[in-house]
């Protein structure tokens, strides 16, 4: 699930030999220059930034405090890590206290987050955020959240949301900004902004940000279109190979839609050859039109972190017959971009006596700003999430004019709304949002998406685009849904039936849900509002002017979505791999699964333990989470060792790989060298052949003109061209899609992909062996520059570092600020597509760009023996003892004891705050 709420102002670069427009947004960053300058000014006033100023916002954690609206006393018990467990006598009191406590620890984070989801960042941070706000207003997250609250959410959910908001507002009452967080004190230097009351819709809107980051294959759809400027259809197919069902198991291996009932039945035998819909003739025609795209979308705000094939999560559950406890064990670790404080907030919500008026006894991970628990367990069941990856977005090219847009030969009027963006320290801005029947016209807001339309050739000019199309976004999350209902229903689930009933309402983002209960049952459900397309497969933008394309009125029925209950094999693994073999399922879920490296490694680890006659323990599950074996290393190293290297220094590095077991420990020199070789293989074989819009910003090459058929060695025909994409989202990113690409080419040593022109150095390659040799040489000198000539000093952790950055103030600005607010770096093991998924983008470098954002192992039925860890800590206050007090343990793969029962919580409690009416 998704991470950063930050963005940068970008930097000036060149592309195609000419100047480039200064970028407005670095992926996942909200640059706050005015706030940075304010804090710098504050630091200059030494007396202002006193200890008392910093501590003014620390939460009260002992004694008593008044909370208006309570019916009876509520206890907030915190352990030595500041993790709160709340005890109340009614649902209203429980969620009111949850809002109060989360505001104590994290309100600055909550406030920035709600301004982001509402497209109101300019109110806090000034004119630099107008472009981001405009784009988010066009998507209309807040508008849809309001519609959900007004029209579809249950009365009970709305009561809980209101209670939560009341608790937040009770904390805010009579507090100045500096009493809430030190960031408000900094903001006060240049802005008279003051926090306003929290509303229930502020909580609902955060689910839209989650859904945006987990939206599926939108970037792949864009990238395929980009590739058509330099690659033909067969080459693009090489880079998007079919899912390897033969070696990487899907989640659901049994069952299908029953011909008798029309519902998915885990025991049914699916008929052969059902297949999923594929692109039809009209899509092929559109592909030809898109062939001229050479300058298109670089980035749409990925507000929670990089969106790529490496991003995902692990979860698995093992039945009691294979565990040392005799009951199921369940593990989960969502992979998201690192942020400070962590996206997750650990807590327990306990009714002193579960009854009709107080229904909850649950604990786990939630989001600051949202009531309930997102991932965790109650007294009866446990559950975990991974991203299903369903294709729930499509881009539509629209023939637009001043009067409207063309649809089946007629011009239809836009649906229009006006939006006013208030700007701190400046005049308000006004924008017009236009929508087609395929969604908002996002090309009106995004200069990059506008280029999608401008560069697409058309047979008849579209007046509003001069010579191109507009671009509309169709997305399931832009329709009101019941996901907020599902959160509370999951928290109250008692068995697999009520669990599935809750999952039916978890419409967006579409997640793989795993399950276990105290009676020994395990299960899986694929939920979500997943569209059924009238034609096409969602892999390329579609023609919006024809009713032959689009989505059918109803999504895939929930009863026909795959699920499992107590499968014979005794365990279930979900790690973003294919849900079910597409030849055994009649609906298209997506064409762009994760490729299953992590999931298959987990399958192998579980199976090896079971087949060896052993039982799996909590410690085994924890150890599996830290497994850092590299699948691509196991494939490539034997071939790399066969190559005759004459250069003694390169040969010295090659010898590091002799006897290496392919594990990526932080202190491993072999892991450092192999990953550098892998990065250089990708660059030489694929990266240098991709269009500039997909390559790293500022990296320049001499390349043939787009679609050139001339010989690559004719240097006078080459042009200077520089990359345009941010390092954390460029391609090839090195994820397991690229593992499969390379695996498919290993038996083709003379493939054109292995031919690398002399566009970086004087040495070209003609086959696989020559390219591998050059990659080993390039890697040797790259690491010499980074780590020194002496290979005995090399290790993977020195390359592969994690720095935790404060979401708003720590991403840019003077080093003083970064030293004060940020933490790290830490040297990490693990790597891309490993189970311990400390991800890095091979196109951009070795820096850690996504991580297991938390880890948990749930001991079902013996809850107090469960374990958990967060990436940072409970507090969002930069100088609190609980700001990053879990990080060192997280780095080392340790987990904290997770108390749940009343006695265990009491034993772990170090601070108790009693909230009184």
């Amino acid at each position: 699930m998704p991470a950063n709420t930050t963005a940068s102002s970008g930097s000036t670069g060149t592309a195609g030999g000419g100047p480039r427009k200064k970028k407005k947004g670095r992926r996942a960053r909200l640059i706050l220059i005015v706030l940075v300058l304010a804090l710098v000014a504050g630091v200059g006033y030494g007396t202002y930034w006193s200890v008392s100023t910093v501590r003014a916002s620390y939460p009260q954690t002992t004694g008593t405090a008044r909370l208006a609206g309570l019916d009876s006393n509520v206890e907030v018990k915190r352990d030595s890590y500041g993790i709160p467990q709340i005890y109340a006598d009614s649902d209203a009191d429980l969620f009111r206290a949850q809002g109060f406590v989360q505001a104590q620890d994290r309100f600055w984070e909550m406030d920035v987050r709600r301004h982001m989801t509402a497209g109101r960042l300019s109110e806090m941070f000034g004119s630099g955020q107008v472009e981001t706000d405009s784009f988010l207003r066009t998507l209309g997250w807040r508008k849809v959240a309001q519609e959900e609250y007004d029209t579809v959410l249950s009365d009970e959910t709305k009561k809980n949301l209101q209670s939560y908001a009341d608790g937040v507002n009770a904390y805010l009452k009579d507090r100045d900004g500096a009493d809430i967080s030190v960031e408000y004190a900094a903001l006060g230097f240049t802005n008279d902004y003051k926090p306003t009351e929290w509303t229930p819709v502020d909580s609902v809107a955060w689910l839209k940000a989650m859904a945006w980051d987990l939206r599926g294959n939108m970037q792949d759809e864009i990238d395929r279109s980009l590739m058509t400027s330099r690659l033909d259809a067969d080459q693009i197919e090489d880079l998007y190979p079919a899912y390897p069902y033969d070696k990487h198991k899907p989640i659901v291996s049994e069952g299908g839609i029953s011909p008798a009932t029309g519902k998915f039945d885990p025991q049914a035998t699916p008929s052969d050859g059902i297949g999923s819909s594929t692109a039809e003739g009209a899509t092929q025609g559109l592909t030809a039109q898109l062939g001229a795209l050479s300058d298109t979308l670089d980035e749409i705000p990925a507000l929670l972190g990089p969106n790529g094939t490496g991003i995902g999560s692990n979860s698995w559950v093992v039945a009691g017959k294979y565990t040392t406890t005799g009951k199921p064990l369940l593990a989960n670790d969502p992979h998201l971009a690192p942020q400070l404080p962590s996206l997750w907030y650990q807590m327990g919500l306990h009714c002193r006596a579960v009854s009709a008026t107080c229904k909850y006894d649950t604990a786990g991970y939630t989001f600051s700003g949202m009531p309930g628990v997102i991932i965790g367990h109650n007294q009866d069941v446990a559950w975990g999430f991974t991203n299903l990856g369903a294709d729930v977005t499509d881009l539509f090219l629209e023939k637009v004019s001043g009067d409207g847009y063309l649809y089946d030969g007629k011009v239809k009027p836009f649906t229009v709304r006006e939006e006013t963006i208030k700007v701190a320290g400046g005049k308000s801005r006004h924008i017009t949002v236009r929508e087609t029947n395929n969604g908002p016209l996002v090309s009106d807001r995004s200069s990059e998406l506008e280029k999608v339309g401008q560069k697409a050739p058309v047979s008849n000019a579209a007046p509003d685009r001069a010579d191109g199309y507009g671009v509309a976004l169709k997305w399931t999350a832009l329709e009101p849904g019941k996901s907020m209902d599902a959160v509370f229903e999951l928290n109250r689930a008692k068995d697999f039936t009520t669990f599935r009933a809750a999952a039916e309402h978890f419409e967006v983002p579409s997640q793989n849900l795993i399950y276990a209960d105290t009676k020994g049952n395990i299960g899986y459900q694929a939920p979500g509002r997943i569209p059924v397309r009238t034609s096409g497969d969602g892999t390329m933008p579609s023609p919006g002017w024809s009713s032959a394309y689009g989505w059918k009125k109803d999504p895939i029925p929930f009863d026909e979505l795959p699920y499992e209950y107590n499968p014979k094999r005794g365990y279930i693994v979900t790690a973003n791999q294919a849900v079910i073999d597409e030849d055994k399922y009649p609906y298209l879920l997506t064409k762009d699964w994760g490729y299953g490296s992590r999931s298959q490694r987990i399958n192998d680890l579980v199976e090896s333990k079971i087949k060896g006659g052993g039982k799996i323990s909590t410690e085994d599950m924890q150890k599996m989470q830290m497994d850092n074996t590299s699948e691509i290393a196991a494939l490539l190293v034997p071939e790399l060792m066969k190559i005759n290297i004459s250069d003694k220094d390169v040969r010295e590095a090659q010898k590091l790989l002799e006897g290496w077991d392919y594990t990526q420990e932080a202190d491993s020199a072999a892991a450092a060298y192999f990953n550098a070789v892998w990065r250089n293989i990708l660059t030489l074989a694929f990266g240098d052949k991709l269009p500039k819009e997909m390559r790293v910003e500022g990296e320049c090459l001499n390349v043939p003109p787009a679609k050139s058929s001339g010989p690559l060695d004719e240097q006078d025909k080459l042009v200077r061209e520089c990359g345009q994409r941010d390092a954390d989202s460029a391609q090839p990113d090195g994820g397991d899609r690229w593992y499969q690409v390379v695996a498919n080419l290993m038996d083709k040593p003379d493939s054109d992909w292995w031919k690398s022109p002399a566009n970086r150095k004087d040495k070209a390659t003609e086959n696989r062996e020559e390219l591998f040799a050059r990659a080993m040489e390039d890697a040797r000198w790259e690491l010499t520059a980074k780590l020194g000539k002496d290979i005995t000093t090399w290790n993977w952790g020195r390359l592969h570092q994690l720095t935790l950055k404060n979401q708003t103030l720590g991403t840019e600005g003077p080093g003083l600020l970064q030293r004060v607010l940020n933490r790290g770096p830490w040297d990490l093991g693990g790597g891309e597509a490993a189970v311990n998924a400390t991800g890095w983008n091979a196109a951009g470098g070795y820096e850690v760009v996504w991580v297991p954002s938390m880890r948990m192992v749930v001991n079902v039925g013996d809850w107090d023996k469960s374990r958990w860890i967060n990436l940072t800590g409970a507090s969002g206050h930069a100088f609190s003892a609980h700001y990053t007090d879990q990080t060192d343990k997280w780095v080392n793969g340790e987990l904290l004891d997770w108390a749940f029962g009343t006695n265990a919580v009491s034993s772990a409690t170090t601070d108790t705050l009693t909230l009184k009416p």
Side-chain angles (χ1 to χ4, degrees):
M1 297 177 73
N4 282 336
T5 56
T6 55
S8 86
S9 61
S11 58
T12 302
T14 59
R20 290 188 61 226
K21 182 180 177 182
K22 189 173 183 180
K23 289 188 176 181
K24 283 292 186 184
R26 178 176 170 83
R27 181 174 294 269
R29 292 184 178 177
L30 304 174
I31 179 62
L32 308 177
I33 292 296
V34 66
L35 191 52
V36 168
L37 294 176
L39 188 55
V40 172
V43 171
Y45 298 116
T47 55
Y48 182 85
W49 290 101
S50 62
V51 173
S52 60
T53 301
V54 171
R55 291 181 175 173
S57 57
Y58 284 10
Q60 178 186 351
T61 60
T62 60
T64 62
R66 298 291 176 182
L67 176 50
L70 289 179
D71 295 321
S72 59
N73 289 352
V74 175
E75 287 182 307
V76 181
K77 298 184 176 184
R78 294 180 184 258
D79 66 11
S80 60
Y81 287 88
I83 299 170
Q85 306 274 351
I86 300 175
Y87 290 84
D89 293 323
S90 69
D91 292 346
D93 281 0
L94 191 65
F95 294 118
R96 187 173 283 110
Q98 184 183 14
F100 182 90
V101 169
Q102 287 193 336
Q104 280 187 307
D105 284 337
R106 299 274 194 100
F107 187 75
W108 169 259
E109 174 193 5
M110 292 164 59
D111 201 15
V112 172
R113 188 176 285 173
R114 67 163 164 174
H115 279 77
M116 177 191 68
T117 58
R120 294 173 49 212
L121 289 163
S122 300
E123 294 179 21
M124 296 182 76
F125 307 122
S127 60
Q129 297 307 310
V130 169
E131 186 173 325
T132 298
D133 284 346
S134 297
F135 189 87
L136 296 175
R137 294 285 185 98
T138 298
L139 292 181
W141 293 353
R142 172 75 186 205
K143 177 179 75 73
V144 179
Q146 186 70 59
E147 292 171 4
E148 288 181 357
Y149 186 80
D150 292 341
T151 63
V152 301
L153 294 181
S154 70
D155 289 342
E156 182 171 6
T157 293
K158 288 195 272 191
K159 287 179 182 177
N160 293 342
L161 287 165
Q162 186 61 60
S163 295
Y164 180 90
D166 290 345
V168 175
N169 294 328
Y171 179 74
L172 296 179
K173 187 178 180 181
D174 299 327
R175 281 184 168 85
D176 293 329
D179 296 327
I180 299 170
S181 178
V182 70
E183 289 92 338
Y184 289 111
L187 195 62
F189 279 101
T190 56
N191 189 347
D192 60 359
Y193 172 82
K194 297 186 184 305
T196 57
E197 286 196 343
W198 192 265
T199 73
V201 179
D202 292 333
S203 297
V204 178
W206 180 241
L207 288 172
K208 301 304 171 187
M210 283 177 54
W212 176 253
D213 198 58
L214 302 175
R215 62 194 178 273
N217 77 332
M218 185 174 172
Q219 192 63 55
D220 288 322
E221 184 177 341
I222 291 163
D223 285 354
R224 284 189 183 92
S225 298
L226 284 168
M227 287 179 183
T228 61
S229 68
R230 291 203 172 273
L231 305 176
D232 61 32
D234 289 340
Q235 290 171 320
I236 293 173
E237 186 175 354
D238 285 344
L239 302 188
Y240 286 91
Y243 185 88
Y245 291 99
D246 57 333
K247 67 175 183 177
H248 292 166
K249 296 177 183 178
I251 298 171
V252 176
S253 58
E254 303 168 7
I257 293 178
S258 168
T261 65
K263 298 179 180 180
F264 191 90
D265 181 354
Q267 306 304 318
T269 301
S271 60
D272 293 332
I274 296 176
S276 56
S277 63
T278 57
E280 300 178 6
T283 299
Q284 296 302 319
L286 180 62
T287 301
Q289 284 185 313
L290 290 170
L293 285 175
S294 61
D295 186 16
T296 187
L297 176 66
D298 179 5
E299 51 188 60
I300 298 172
L303 299 169
L304 302 171
N307 186 280
T309 57
I311 286 285
S313 305
N314 301 321
S315 69
W316 68 98
V317 59
V318 181
K321 63 181 178 179
Y322 294 129
T323 69
T324 59
T325 65
K327 291 288 181 70
L329 294 174
L330 185 150
N332 196 187
D333 55 286
H335 306 155
L336 304 167
Q339 60 175 317
L340 185 59
S342 167
L343 178 74
W344 299 107
Y345 186 93
Q346 299 154 284
M347 72 187 321
L349 301 172
H350 307 279
C351 291
R352 294 189 178 99
V354 176
S355 66
T357 57
C358 199
K359 306 179 187 69
Y360 298 87
D361 187 13
T362 187
Y365 297 84
T366 187
F367 300 126
S368 301
M370 274 184 59
V373 167
I374 305 299
I375 294 174
H377 70 83
N378 59 29
Q379 68 272 42
D380 298 305
V381 308
W383 65 94
F385 283 8
T386 63
N387 192 21
L388 191 148
D391 186 358
V392 296
T393 61
D394 278 340
L395 293 175
F396 285 85
L397 300 182
E398 304 283 358
K399 294 182 178 180
V400 300
S401 66
D403 298 324
Y405 59 98
L406 190 69
Y407 189 70
D408 283 348
K410 297 180 180 179
V411 176
K412 298 186 67 172
F414 294 109
T415 300
V416 177
R417 54 187 163 89
E418 304 294 329
E419 296 276 354
T420 299
I421 299 171
K422 297 179 181 179
V423 180
K427 295 181 179 179
S428 296
R429 310 291 177 87
H430 304 278
I431 64 170
T432 300
V433 177
R434 303 185 296 175
E435 295 189 13
T436 73
N437 57 356
N438 290 315
L441 205 62
V442 288
S443 52
D444 283 351
R445 299 284 87 83
S446 167
S447 60
E448 300 296 342
L449 274 172
E450 186 177 11
K451 293 175 185 177
V452 172
Q454 289 174 340
K455 295 296 183 179
V458 292
S459 55
N460 56 318
D464 197 40
R465 286 284 167 257
D467 62 348
Y469 301 113
V471 181
L473 171 64
K474 195 171 186 69
W475 180 29
T476 56
L478 298 184
E479 303 171 24
K482 296 184 177 182
S483 293
M484 197 68 236
D485 283 345
V487 172
F488 294 111
E489 290 166 356
L490 281 173
N491 287 194
R492 300 192 304 266
K494 298 293 184 184
D495 51 32
F496 195 60
T497 299
T498 51
F499 172 81
R500 291 193 71 216
E504 183 173 3
H505 290 152
F506 208 97
E507 296 166 321
V508 289
S510 185
Q511 299 287 289
N512 295 307
L513 297 180
I514 60 167
Y515 167 92
D517 64 35
T518 54
K519 295 181 179 179
N521 302 301
I522 66 172
Y524 163 82
Q525 177 67 56
R529 182 187 294 151
I530 303 173
V532 179
R533 292 169 176 81
T534 54
S535 61
D537 60 8
T539 59
M540 296 280 270
S542 298
W545 54 85
S546 171
S547 58
Y549 291 84
W551 296 353
K552 294 182 179 180
K553 180 180 178 181
D554 295 320
I556 299 174
F558 179 78
D559 284 341
E560 298 182 37
L561 290 170
Y563 74 95
E564 285 191 319
Y565 188 57
N566 293 327
K568 294 177 182 177
R569 65 184 178 277
Y571 63 92
I572 301 169
V573 175
T574 84
N576 317 111
Q577 78 271 41
V579 170
I580 190 169
D581 192 325
E582 63 182 7
D583 291 334
K584 299 178 181 179
Y585 190 67
Y587 295 107
L588 173 67
L589 298 176
T590 184
K591 286 287 188 179
D592 291 304
W593 301 111
Y595 279 72
S597 291
R598 283 180 288 108
S599 62
Q600 192 56 46
R601 178 61 179 169
I602 298 168
N603 272 303
D604 291 345
L605 290 169
V606 173
E607 282 186 4
S608 66
K609 190 78 173 182
I610 291 173
K611 290 180 179 178
K615 298 281 188 176
I616 295 174
S617 66
T618 304
E619 291 75 17
D620 291 330
M621 299 285 274
Q622 181 177 346
K623 185 178 179 180
M624 291 177 192
Q625 287 182 324
M626 295 302 293
D627 184 86
N628 57 37
T629 302
S630 171
E631 179 184 284
I632 193 62
L635 175 68
L636 293 184
V637 167
E639 298 302 320
L640 296 174
M641 296 307 298
K642 294 176 184 178
I643 297 174
N644 184 24
I645 300 294
S646 57
D647 186 301
K648 65 179 181 62
D649 292 312
V650 180
R651 173 62 181 150
E652 181 186 33
Q654 184 187 35
K655 287 183 177 180
L656 290 172
L657 304 179
E658 291 181 354
W660 180 43
D661 62 359
Y662 315 131
T663 59
Q664 301 170 95
E665 301 294 344
D667 61 0
S668 171
Y673 181 59
F674 171 77
N675 282 317
V677 174
W678 170 237
R679 165 173 148 83
N680 280 278
I681 288 173
L682 291 170
T683 298
L684 295 169
F686 310 106
D688 289 354
K689 298 163 189 173
L690 296 177
K692 62 182 181 295
E693 294 89 351
M694 297 176 66
R695 301 201 312 268
V696 174
E697 181 179 5
E699 287 194 2
C700 301
L701 301 173
N702 296 318
V703 299
K707 289 296 186 183
S708 170
S709 58
L712 294 181
D713 58 357
E714 295 184 19
Q715 297 294 322
D716 59 329
K717 292 186 177 181
L718 300 182
V719 296
R720 188 70 169 166
E721 187 180 80
C722 300
Q724 296 182 0
R725 189 167 287 184
D726 289 328
D728 59 4
S729 58
Q731 291 293 337
D733 62 15
D736 59 0
R737 171 165 69 88
W738 294 100
Y739 291 11
Q740 190 61 37
V741 169
V742 170
N744 289 352
L745 293 170
M746 288 299 287
D747 62 353
K748 302 173 184 177
D750 296 316
S751 167
D752 286 345
W753 288 112
W754 303 125
K755 297 177 182 179
S756 175
N759 55 6
R760 285 179 181 265
K761 294 185 177 182
D762 294 334
K763 186 188 298 183
T765 65
E766 295 297 329
N767 55 47
R768 188 190 70 198
E769 183 173 335
E770 288 184 7
L771 187 139
F772 281 10
R774 179 176 163 190
M776 284 196 286
E777 178 182 346
D778 290 354
R780 178 21 158 150
W781 301 119
E782 180 187 3
L783 295 198
T784 296
K786 293 180 181 295
L787 303 179
K789 187 174 182 179
D790 183 358
I791 66 171
T792 64
T793 68
W794 291 2
N795 66 64
W796 177 224
R798 288 178 60 200
L799 282 176
H800 191 54
Q801 293 187 324
L802 168 67
T803 299
L804 293 173
K805 297 181 179 179
N806 180 282
Q807 296 175 57
T808 52
L809 299 177
T811 58
E812 299 289 339
L816 172 62
L817 285 179
Q818 299 195 21
R819 287 192 296 273
V820 169
L821 297 173
N822 298 343
R823 300 293 183 269
W826 285 268
D827 295 354
L828 297 190
E832 178 65 38
V835 178
N836 181 21
T838 56
W840 54 287
N841 185 304
Y846 304 97
E847 178 185 1
V848 176
V849 295
W850 57 78
V851 294
S853 55
M854 62 81 160
R855 299 186 185 102
M856 73 176 192
V857 178
V858 181
N859 197 318
V860 177
D862 197 351
W863 304 115
D864 294 330
K865 292 184 179 178
S866 300
R867 297 175 186 171
W868 61 353
I869 198 76
N870 205 348
L871 174 63
T872 60
S875 180
H877 299 286
F879 304 99
S880 165
H882 303 307
Y883 191 45
T884 56
D885 58 342
Q886 297 185 50
T887 306
D888 285 342
K889 291 183 178 296
W890 176 93
V891 168
N892 293 327
E894 299 176 48
L895 301 177
L896 304 177
D897 291 337
W898 179 356
F900 178 74
T902 303
N903 291 337
V905 170
S906 294
S907 296
T909 296
T910 58
D911 289 345
T912 300
L913 174 67
T914 301
L915 300 174
K916 293 180 173 293

